[in-house]
Amino acid sequence: MAGRKGRCAKCGEVFRVPAAATSEVRQAFQPDTAGASQPGKANVPLHVSVLCRVCQTLMYGRFDQVGQPLKCPDCGAQTILPPPQPVKPKKPLAAMEGDQYELWGVDEAPSVAEMLAAQPTYIAVVCRMCQTLMHATVDQVGKKLKCPDCGTANLVPPPDAAARVPSVLSRDEDDLQIDAALDPGERPAVIVPPRRPMLYEEEREAERARHEEKAARGDRRGAQYDITDRPVMPRWPLSTRILPFLFSPGVPVRWLLLSVGAFLSLGTMLFGMWLAAQGGFSIILGFLCWAMGFVPSIIWFAAFSAIAVAIVTESSEGSDSVQRWPAAVFTEWVGEFFTVFVACLMSPLPGWLIGQVATEDPSAGGLLFVGSVFVCFPVILLSQLDVGSAFGVASPRVVASLVRLPGTWLMFYAEIALLVVACIGVTIAAAVLSPYLVTLLVPLYVAAILLASRILGRLGWKLAESMPAKD
């Protein structure tokens, strides 16, 4: 109670209990020279700690300050420094008592068999009351083992003798005998069902048989094939078997459907524009009719793009008919639609740029615009198909063919120009007779585009044979 306030039992006067002598305090808690405490005494640090009685700030004082007030550095309150309390020795952890785990040396580790032999033998005991599984040692045989769950006493039985495992190996002196009754007999033959050829294989085989029959009769018309079933390119691929393509399998049906779709979609849009030109309330009706015709026009253009790309691809492989037509699903046409759209968007760009720089005449600029489409569109579309991407608008192989095969390109442009002149001439003749006859020429324009796709594909075949791709 050194440093604390006390009250006299007789007179009631309050006084402070004096501190013990500094030498006595140091002597009571001074450790010995070996670092261990004296008997009955504990080691203490060099300073004494105390908590402020107001703000609980931890403070430290020296031994000579025991019983004296310490001023708190935070709140300024005075707190009496009590004498130090002996530090009780800590009890070691339970895990640190008894045997401890150690590591074997490099050459000291026993074998697995030795460790298994050193393991104690345990006897499994099942409680007869609650079926709890217990394990007893050999020393407990014949004694009662108390169940930890229900408390029932169970007699520990003697361990069972280990059953001898019979060997599965036969002795060398034993002769093996084959039981004739177990003979399975002759093994049945394996029947392999015949493979049915695919549809395209049947069509190719039928076409090859027809060509062989024609060749046996001396008829050399039609496509010719080499020993590897590859079509042989004719001498003039751009002018051979072009018109008969319109009547090959699958083309007439699509020619008719595309013509009807173009007539309906374009007719609806033209009728809407005519209504809008009437003024008044007809403007709204005209806009609705134009919108109703615009959406089918997009679908028609997507279908036409897919069919045209299929014709170009199949023709570039030397086929006289298209074997893989695009499916009748709009989502299957998106890739070809985007490819043709990019080609249509990029082909007039060179002519437009030249017109902006070279001339200010609108008619001359228009001619450059149309001429750029006529010249650049085939190059861009073949480049896209050669690269395999809609953004590959300039394939090095296709651009190089313009220099290496100028005659083939000139023949191609001449045939396309002949188609364009034929369409323009028929259109002018129909307009002279009656303006309404022009609307009936839609199948002619569709056929012209199909033939142009066929010629472009044959051009791609010629370029592929003349300029093979490098590995």
Side-chain angles (χ1 to χ4, degrees), residues 1-21:
M1 297 180 63
R4 298 183 181 180
K5 293 182 179 180
R7 184 183 298 275
C8 181
K10 291 185 178 181
C11 64
E13 183 180 357
V14 177
F15 63 94
R16 190 178 300 276
V17 178

Side-chain angles (χ1 to χ4, degrees), residues 30-59:
Q30 184 69 25
D32 58 3
T33 58
S37 301
Q38 297 177 0
K41 298 180 182 180
N43 294 331
V44 295
L46 299 178
H47 297 84
V48 182
S49 62
V50 64
L51 294 177
C52 176
R53 58 183 178 84
V54 177
C55 64
Q56 303 300 317
T57 299
L58 180 62
M59 299 180 293

Side-chain angles (χ1 to χ4, degrees), residues 26 30 91 106 222 295 307 311 329 360 426 436 445:
R26 288 184 178 275
Q30 184 69 25
K91 185 179 180 180
V106 178
V295 176
I307 293 174
I311 293 174
V329 182
E360 296 181 357
V426 174
Y436 298 101
Y445 305 142

Side-chain angles (χ1 to χ4, degrees), residues 3 16 47-55 57-82:
R16 190 178 300 276
H47 297 84
V48 182
S49 62
V50 64
L51 294 177
C52 176
R53 58 183 178 84
V54 177
C55 64
T57 299
L58 180 62
M59 299 180 293
Y60 294 94
R62 300 185 303 275
F63 281 100
D64 55 359
Q65 293 178 321
V66 172
Q68 300 179 7
L70 295 180
K71 184 178 180 181
C72 178
D74 295 338
C75 63
Q78 300 286 340
T79 302
I80 300 300
L81 182 65

Side-chain angles (χ1 to χ4, degrees), residues 54-333:
V54 177
C55 64
Q56 303 300 317
T57 299
L58 180 62
M59 299 180 293
Y60 294 94
R62 300 185 303 275
F63 281 100
D64 55 359
Q65 293 178 321
V66 172
Q68 300 179 7
L70 295 180
K71 184 178 180 181
C72 178
D74 295 338
C75 63
Q78 300 286 340
T79 302
I80 300 300
L81 182 65
Q85 300 295 328
V87 180
K88 297 181 180 180
K90 293 183 179 180
K91 185 179 180 180
L93 298 177
M96 301 302 296
E97 297 179 354
D99 297 335
Q100 303 295 319
Y101 288 100
E102 296 181 1
L103 296 178
W104 294 101
V106 178
D107 299 328
E108 298 176 358
S111 63
V112 177
E114 294 176 349
M115 289 190 291
L116 292 177
Q119 293 293 329
T121 303
Y122 292 98
I123 304 172
V125 180
V126 180
C127 179
R128 56 187 175 85
M129 183 64 65
C130 64
Q131 305 301 319
T132 298
L133 178 61
M134 300 173 290
H135 293 86
T137 60
V138 180
D139 299 336
Q140 294 176 317
V141 174
K143 299 180 181 179
K144 292 184 178 181
L145 187 65
K146 185 177 181 181
C147 178
D149 294 340
C150 63
T152 304
N154 298 271
L155 185 64
V156 178
D160 297 335
R164 183 179 180 182
V165 180
S167 177
V168 297
L169 302 177
S170 61
R171 295 178 299 177
D172 295 338
E173 57 270 13
D174 295 339
D175 295 332
L176 298 179
Q177 301 294 332
I178 299 177
D179 190 357
L182 300 178
D183 186 10
E186 186 179 357
R187 178 173 299 180
V190 179
I191 301 176
V192 179
R195 175 183 176 273
R196 184 178 179 181
M198 304 296 289
L199 179 60
Y200 75 92
E201 293 177 343
E202 294 178 353
E203 295 177 352
R204 184 177 61 184
E205 190 64 26
E207 185 177 0
R208 180 180 180 181
R210 289 195 302 268
H211 286 295
E212 289 180 354
E213 183 181 357
K214 290 172 58 178
R217 296 196 309 263
D219 188 0
R220 295 296 180 180
R221 294 177 299 176
Q224 304 297 325
Y225 295 87
D226 56 11
I227 58 176
T228 60
D229 289 342
R230 291 184 57 190
V232 179
M233 187 175 61
R235 183 177 181 182
W236 306 101
L238 299 184
S239 58
T240 305
R241 296 188 297 275
I242 299 298
L243 289 177
F245 176 76
L246 288 177
F247 306 98
S248 61
V251 176
V253 176
R254 288 167 177 81
W255 181 10
L256 177 62
L257 293 177
L258 290 175
S259 300
V260 173
F263 182 80
L264 293 178
S265 58
L266 293 178
T268 305
M269 294 180 64
L270 293 176
F271 181 70
M273 296 173 62
W274 179 80
L275 284 178
Q278 303 302 317
F281 184 73
S282 300
I283 298 178
I284 300 177
L285 295 178
F287 179 76
L288 293 177
C289 290
W290 183 86
M292 291 174 60
F294 179 75
V295 176
S297 299
I298 296 298
I299 299 176
W300 177 88
F301 184 73
F304 208 160
S305 301
I307 293 174
V309 171
I311 293 174
V312 173
T313 304
E314 296 276 348
S315 299
S316 65
E317 296 174 355
S319 301
D320 281 345
S321 61
V322 179
Q323 303 293 335
R324 299 182 296 272
W325 290 104
V329 182
F330 177 75
T331 55
E332 299 289 337
W333 309 334

